[in-house]
Amino acid sequence: MERIEVALIGAGRMGQVHGQNAANHPGLRLRYVVDPRPAANAAMCAQTGAAPAGLEQALEDPAIRAVLICSTTDRHLDHALAAVDAGKAIFCEKPVDLDLEKARRAQPRFEGVPFLLGFNRRFDPHFRALKQRLDDGTVGRLETLHLVNHDPAAPPAGFIPGSGGLFKDFTIHDLDMARWLLGEEPLEVYSVASCLVDPEIGRLGDVDTARTVLKTGSGRLCVISNTRRSGCGYDQRIEACGSAGMIVAGNPALNAVIAQNDAGLLGAAIHPGFASRYALAYRAQIGHFADVVHGTAEPEAGYADGIAALALAEACGESMRDSKVVRMRG
Amino acid sequence: MERIEVALIGAGRMGQVHGQNAANHPGLRLRYVVDPRPAANAAMCAQTGAAPAGLEQALEDPAIRAVLICSTTDRHLDHALAAVDAGKAIFCEKPVDLDLEKARRAQPRFEGVPFLLGFNRRFDPHFRALKQRLDDGTVGRLETLHLVNHDPAAPPAGFIPGSGGLFKDFTIHDLDMARWLLGEEPLEVYSVASCLVDPEIGRLGDVDTARTVLKTGSGRLCVISNTRRSGCGYDQRIEACGSAGMIVAGNPALNAVIAQNDAGLLGAAIHPGFASRYALAYRAQIGHFADVVHGTAEPEAGYADGIAALALAEACGESMRDSKVVRMRG
Amino acid sequence: MERIEVALIGAGRMGQVHGQNAANHPGLRLRYVVDPRPAANAAMCAQTGAAPAGLEQALEDPAIRAVLICSTTDRHLDHALAAVDAGKAIFCEKPVDLDLEKARRAQPRFEGVPFLLGFNRRFDPHFRALKQRLDDGTVGRLETLHLVNHDPAAPPAGFIPGSGGLFKDFTIHDLDMARWLLGEEPLEVYSVASCLVDPEIGRLGDVDTARTVLKTGSGRLCVISNTRRSGCGYDQRIEACGSAGMIVAGNPALNAVIAQNDAGLLGAAIHPGFASRYALAYRAQIGHFADVVHGTAEPEAGYADGIAALALAEACGESMRDSKVVRMRG
Amino acid sequence: MERIEVALIGAGRMGQVHGQNAANHPGLRLRYVVDPRPAANAAMCAQTGAAPAGLEQALEDPAIRAVLICSTTDRHLDHALAAVDAGKAIFCEKPVDLDLEKARRAQPRFEGVPFLLGFNRRFDPHFRALKQRLDDGTVGRLETLHLVNHDPAAPPAGFIPGSGGLFKDFTIHDLDMARWLLGEEPLEVYSVASCLVDPEIGRLGDVDTARTVLKTGSGRLCVISNTRRSGCGYDQRIEACGSAGMIVAGNPALNAVIAQNDAGLLGAAIHPGFASRYALAYRAQIGHFADVVHGTAEPEAGYADGIAALALAEACGESMRDSKVVRMRG
């Protein structure tokens, strides 16, 4: 397979994950790392054999056919638009932007552009196995969903102000999963939330514990359960009920060891965080992007999916603030 | 232990369960069965050694110190009031009545009367083990609940009109469990529902699939998941998340046998219905009632609990109909 | 159903279990309790409504059609022979006797007598579910077995001298299960053992930890794992491997509650002992005996099964003592 | 970290696994691939960036500090001795040789040589977690082990003649695990076997289904369960019983998805074979070898461990053939 050259924009936490996966992929070559912080850039290059570069250099190099946008959230859209102008294929971390209207205005610019949005959970082997069981009819026709997305521990308070709030920063993953699995657009949104984990989060105007209920046109119901602090690791589960049974994607344990003594049964903890829990998903996602770049696949989650999830997240916030049910625009 | 004599009012489905358990209990003697249907009455008596009797005879016999009210729902309150007048201790199947105002008006009559309401799930050993884990601090302070109450298959359409609807007939169990576990009164109620199982249920003005979200004064959140048809048996689970972890009471399997072949793993089904699933709970409930009658325990679920659950069920219905959040009266 | 009258011989630990189950069975009436210890006898009678009686009285009463022999092991055979002479159907606790030759000599006396030996595990719903999975071909043709029979804690040393030793007292259950599941007679026996639990057991000439391997004529292999002290409750499992997969009957947990916190997963203990673990098996066993007495079933485990298991237990002892493989007589 | 240069000898099935892991390790550089088959050699080089070389060239190059010996079993010892002469550190696939006496004679040559034998299971995270639970005292002092090693499907008959037979080829892994976990040398060995999977294996003088029992000096007992065809994937489990409970390392499922419908519970299959099941173990093993080469670790499994396991495997064969218990030479 030809190794197509790509540039990484942003060598932070997610940039390191995606950059390394791109470097290891037999169909990609990580050529440039674009990050203004010299140390982060150099570390990434040392690890992958890439060269540091400025944004312009990377975008102007015709050998570069694709970019991985892992910059800070407020730069995603600018970088994506610059990449569009330069004719590159785009992998972009979620969300496309925190401002729904701004994101909607830019949408026409992405028509026909190979654009994969970083909704990594669609690529998780457990969730894909659940979807396959749904699709193969093991439990009949889908009726309801329960999505559990619990972070292990609250972020530092400093993270909150620029995050967009719980719904746009965190629930957005579930809103995308809901759309992916429901196969229909949610038309009604209800969210209720509390600040039970860290009062500082409340003082900053955000919440840390929420429940959201979605209803689709055909009457399918979806509950989303979120907390910033599970107390037991990174709790990521999905439950789907159909007309002929249910399917549960549980938390994979860290190992298959069970002890039994007078205290009862003792088993392994679940994954401590996203890095190990979704390691295979991140790898599969870059593999899918490689297929997109090579022209053998259409992006499974595109710009429009980002818009749709963002609109739902905004509805969640509105529902919570006004304590009412929000109807989506058709 | 002295065997205190009791009378059973109503020898239908639940009357048979409670009557048999009373007959087997070393602290109770089932003396009379009151049921106007001769065949049902005779069958119950043959099985337990009790004698058929009319309501008056049973209530006027001073040897009878307690009654088990298992008549049809529309007769619960009348029978309970008659028992109050006769000075009997009362076990009454839920709900006390479908009419909240009527039930509230009668409430003063039950002051000081030993009255146990048939919220059997409080006595289930799995749910009690979950509560004990909560109380012993294994997962810190309770923050959220998820209650799953899925019937195996929809009732015949003829059952719907007199049932009081999904919330008063079915969700009421969960509303009581929520109050029991939350340790706080829910102040906000949101319910959304669909008719996905049987369109006939919809034509009769009821729903068969619902999600309810409760919020308490301190911000605890509780989701209730209901369907009339799980497709996989009687799905009865509880999940409690605390500040330091979570506790799940899963479905006990019918047996502990697991096969593994090329198709994967094959395990046993869950209980097909309430009779086997809650057999131990029903037995423990009558055991608790025997303690109440013997004066060694206070009823764990009394008349006021029935009122509270009924008021929440009414709020669920109002929320669903008006598609709005309902606030409970203080 | 007619209630056939039965007499219980021996109101000790097992007598109480079987006597109560017989008293509760709709097809049996426990009429007499035969036990020379007045207190034990009276307690059993008070609990069941039976009357105390001497052995002769019970056997000479023509209304008594069956006896439950739960006396001490050294009296089983005498009581069984007396019951044969009196023309009663017999349920007898295992073993028929500790002396294989004596038991073999008496065998002709039991020809044509309805005789059920107390191999309770054949009636356990988990093991029966495993056998059904085997019989229905889910994992192909049976090739090997692994039987785990671990007592929770070592018996008092005073129990050892009269017990017959680990193999005749304890492994005998597994030897019967092996025959039941293998569908073939074991032809080769190897046992190896240690005294790891309590050195006093060793001083008394017995062992407390053993492994036994059986081989049948067609080459099926069966491992039996025994210890007198599991440290984690009553560990009772079976694993069957076939040509197309495997089946495991695991330990049913005391409840279906799982907690997850930073320490990992915490689940319920397993059953603490035989009384609760095999409660359903004991009940089903008496139900089967009722069918035998009513003439609607043939005993699932008869006198010859007792002889066969005892002969294997003796071979286990010989193999262990001489550290050699023992071949069974055809 | 400095990348120390290594040469791979043999680019077959296991060579590809180890070569790729070495190429990816940050402390190693795979410089040469030695394999006389041009296609296999070229494929391995293309994948890793190594260069093809002859054995002499690789061993004579002073930059090469270590070799990975993955040649056919009959060449292991010759290649290892050549590497000793060239002063290289050695990773060698198991077994060192099929001829115990030959392997023993060569043993003095490996004194002081950094030599890691390919007993990959010691590096499996599940089995290491079990060992850690054992070591931390969760279940008291170890008393017995049960090792399950079931291949998914029988090898082609052509593999049998050169394999050394079931015990030397397959059971040898368990014999090493037994020594690793027991912490004592087995003194008594009993093996019994059948040919149940493929009669052709029997015609070639081998067996396909076996049970082995080991006893150590202090009386610890270990059962090893082997079959060439599980019918349900690569069944790899360990059960350890201690004085205060038990620990089970079960089969990790392919995913955490469980469906429940009227047929019962449906879960994922287990790993289909060694490549995926032990992928993490192989990686950790090369990581450990890198530590050995860098001088920061002593080999966890050395030449003497290979001899000890081989001697036990030979005893298994003798026990089976003569149907007797074999005592190990002190």
Side-chain angles (χ1 to χ4, degrees), chain A residues 143 194 219 229 237 239, chain B residues 143-144 194 219 229 237 239:
Chain A
E143 293 179 351
S194 296
R229 180 261 297 114
R237 286 172 290 144
E239 192 171 312
Chain B
E143 293 178 351
T144 61
S194 296
R229 182 263 294 114
R237 287 172 288 142
E239 192 171 311

Side-chain angles (χ1 to χ4, degrees), chain C residues 144 194 219 229 237 239, chain D residues 143 194 211 219 229 237 239:
Chain C
T144 62
S194 296
R229 181 263 295 115
R237 288 172 287 144
E239 192 171 311
Chain D
E143 292 177 353
S194 297
R211 294 300 178 270
R229 180 262 296 115
R237 288 172 288 144
E239 191 170 313

Side-chain angles (χ1 to χ4, degrees), chain A residues 133 141-146 148 150 188-190 192-197 209-211 213-215 218-223 225 227 229-232 235 237 239 241-246 248 251 263 265 270 322-325 327, chain B residues 133 141-146 148 150 188-190 192-197 209-211 213-215 218-223 225 227 229-232 235 237 239 241-246 248 251 263 265 270 322-325 327:
Chain A
R133 279 273 195 208
R141 185 175 22 83
L142 178 67
E143 293 179 351
T144 62
L145 281 180
H146 185 221
V148 174
H150 293 177
E188 291 180 27
V189 177
Y190 170 71
V192 59
S194 296
C195 200
L196 299 173
V197 173
T209 309
R211 294 297 178 273
V213 189
L214 309 174
K215 185 178 183 177
S218 79
R220 291 178 175 176
L221 303 175
C222 172
V223 171
S225 174
T227 174
R229 180 261 297 114
S230 74
C232 60
D235 186 7
R237 286 172 290 144
E239 192 171 312
C241 295
S243 55
M246 66 168 167
V248 178
N251 285 308
L265 179 151
I270 64 176
D322 300 350
S323 196
K324 68 171 189 187
V325 180
R327 271 168 201 72
Chain B
R133 279 271 197 212
R141 185 175 22 82
L142 178 68
E143 293 178 351
T144 61
L145 281 179
H146 185 221
V148 174
H150 293 177
E188 291 180 26
V189 177
Y190 170 72
V192 59
S194 296
C195 200
L196 300 173
V197 173
T209 308
R211 293 298 179 271
V213 189
L214 309 174
K215 183 178 184 178
S218 79
R220 290 177 176 177
L221 304 175
C222 172
V223 171
S225 174
T227 175
R229 182 263 294 114
S230 74
C232 60
D235 185 7
R237 287 172 288 142
E239 192 171 311
C241 295
S243 54
M246 66 167 167
V248 178
N251 285 309
L265 180 150
I270 64 175
D322 299 350
S323 196
K324 69 171 188 188
V325 180
R327 273 169 199 70

Side-chain angles (χ1 to χ4, degrees), chain B residues 36-275:
Chain B
R37 300 165 298 172
N41 199 323
M44 193 71 217
C45 289
Q47 200 180 320
T48 58
L55 181 63
E56 282 190 19
Q57 179 189 358
L59 292 181
E60 284 170 7
D61 184 339
I64 298 296
R65 306 238 303 265
V67 296
L68 311 172
I69 301 177
C70 304
S71 44
T72 54
T73 295
D74 60 331
R75 305 287 289 144
H76 284 181
L77 193 50
D78 288 349
H79 286 149
L81 289 169
V84 168
D85 290 339
K88 313 299 188 195
I90 299 167
F91 168 83
C92 183
E93 254 306 310
K94 63 95 210 167
V96 289
D97 199 90
L98 292 175
D99 182 334
L100 175 59
E101 287 316 310
K102 186 176 152 203
R104 274 190 173 134
R105 279 194 305 272
Q107 187 164 8
R109 303 275 301 279
F110 292 91
E111 297 262 313
V113 173
F115 182 100
L116 177 66
L117 193 63
F119 283 135
N120 57 292
R121 296 175 193 199
R122 293 195 185 203
F123 297 92
D124 176 65
H126 306 282
F127 298 157
R128 286 183 95 87
L130 176 140
K131 189 169 195 304
Q132 190 179 324
R133 279 271 197 212
L134 266 180
D135 292 346
D136 73 15
T138 302
V139 301
R141 185 175 22 82
L142 178 68
E143 293 178 351
T144 61
L145 281 179
H146 185 221
L147 309 179
V148 174
N149 179 16
H150 293 177
D151 245 350
F159 167 84
I160 299 294
S163 72
L166 184 76
F167 298 114
K168 286 190 182 175
D169 171 60
F170 192 57
T171 312
I172 197 165
H173 276 296
D174 308 300
L175 296 166
D176 181 65
M177 289 303 278
R179 294 181 61 247
W180 183 58
L181 291 169
L182 288 168
E184 298 180 353
E185 292 300 321
L187 299 188
E188 291 180 26
V189 177
Y190 170 72
S191 290
V192 59
S194 296
C195 200
L196 300 173
V197 173
D198 181 357
E200 184 63 18
I201 291 175
R203 274 190 288 274
L204 292 163
D206 202 359
V207 291
D208 53 37
T209 308
R211 293 298 179 271
T212 294
V213 189
L214 309 174
K215 183 178 184 178
T216 71
S218 79
R220 290 177 176 177
L221 304 175
C222 172
V223 171
I224 297 171
S225 174
N226 296 130
T227 175
R228 286 290 193 185
R229 182 263 294 114
S230 74
C232 60
Y234 193 45
D235 185 7
Q236 303 283 296
R237 287 172 288 142
I238 297 181
E239 192 171 311
C241 295
S243 54
M246 66 167 167
I247 312 174
V248 178
N251 285 309
L254 285 183
N255 61 58
V257 173
I258 297 286
Q260 191 91 34
N261 63 18
D262 268 344
L265 180 150
L266 309 166
I270 64 175
H271 283 275
F274 70 91

Side-chain angles (χ1 to χ4, degrees), chain A residues 65-69 79-84 88-92 110 113-117 289 292-293:
Chain A
R65 307 239 302 265
V67 295
L68 311 172
I69 301 177
H79 287 149
L81 289 169
V84 168
K88 313 298 188 195
I90 299 168
F91 169 82
C92 182
F110 293 90
V113 173
F115 182 100
L116 177 67
L117 192 62
F289 184 60
V292 169
V293 171

Side-chain angles (χ1 to χ4, degrees), chain C residues 87-283:
Chain C
K88 314 298 189 195
I90 300 168
F91 168 82
C92 182
E93 254 307 310
K94 63 95 212 167
V96 288
D97 198 90
L98 291 175
D99 182 335
L100 175 60
E101 286 317 309
K102 188 176 149 202
R104 274 188 173 137
R105 277 194 306 271
Q107 189 164 5
R109 303 275 301 278
F110 293 90
E111 298 261 313
V113 173
F115 182 100
L116 177 67
L117 192 62
F119 282 135
N120 57 291
R121 297 174 192 199
R122 293 194 184 202
F123 297 91
D124 176 66
H126 306 282
F127 297 156
R128 286 183 95 86
L130 175 139
K131 188 167 195 307
Q132 191 179 325
R133 278 273 195 210
L134 266 181
D135 292 348
D136 73 16
T138 302
V139 300
R141 184 174 23 83
L142 177 68
E143 293 178 349
T144 62
L145 282 179
H146 185 221
L147 309 179
V148 174
N149 178 16
H150 293 177
D151 245 349
F159 168 83
I160 298 294
S163 71
L166 184 76
F167 298 114
K168 287 189 182 174
D169 171 60
F170 192 57
T171 311
I172 197 165
H173 276 297
D174 308 298
L175 295 167
D176 181 63
M177 291 301 278
R179 293 182 62 248
W180 184 57
L181 291 168
L182 287 169
E184 297 180 352
E185 293 299 321
L187 298 188
E188 291 180 27
V189 177
Y190 170 72
S191 290
V192 59
S194 296
C195 199
L196 300 173
V197 173
D198 182 356
E200 185 62 18
I201 291 174
R203 275 191 287 274
L204 292 164
D206 202 359
V207 291
D208 53 38
T209 308
R211 293 299 178 271
T212 294
V213 189
L214 309 174
K215 184 178 185 178
T216 70
S218 79
R220 290 178 175 175
L221 303 176
C222 172
V223 171
I224 299 171
S225 173
N226 296 130
T227 173
R228 286 291 194 184
R229 181 263 295 115
S230 75
C232 60
Y234 193 46
D235 186 6
Q236 303 282 296
R237 288 172 287 144
I238 297 181
E239 192 171 311
C241 295
S243 54
M246 64 168 167
I247 313 172
V248 178
N251 285 308
L254 285 182
N255 61 58
V257 173
I258 297 286
Q260 190 92 34
N261 63 18
D262 269 345
L265 179 151
L266 309 165
I270 63 175
H271 283 276
F274 71 92
S276 68
R277 172 63 181 85
Y278 286 124
L280 294 174
Y282 290 127
R283 202 183 306 169

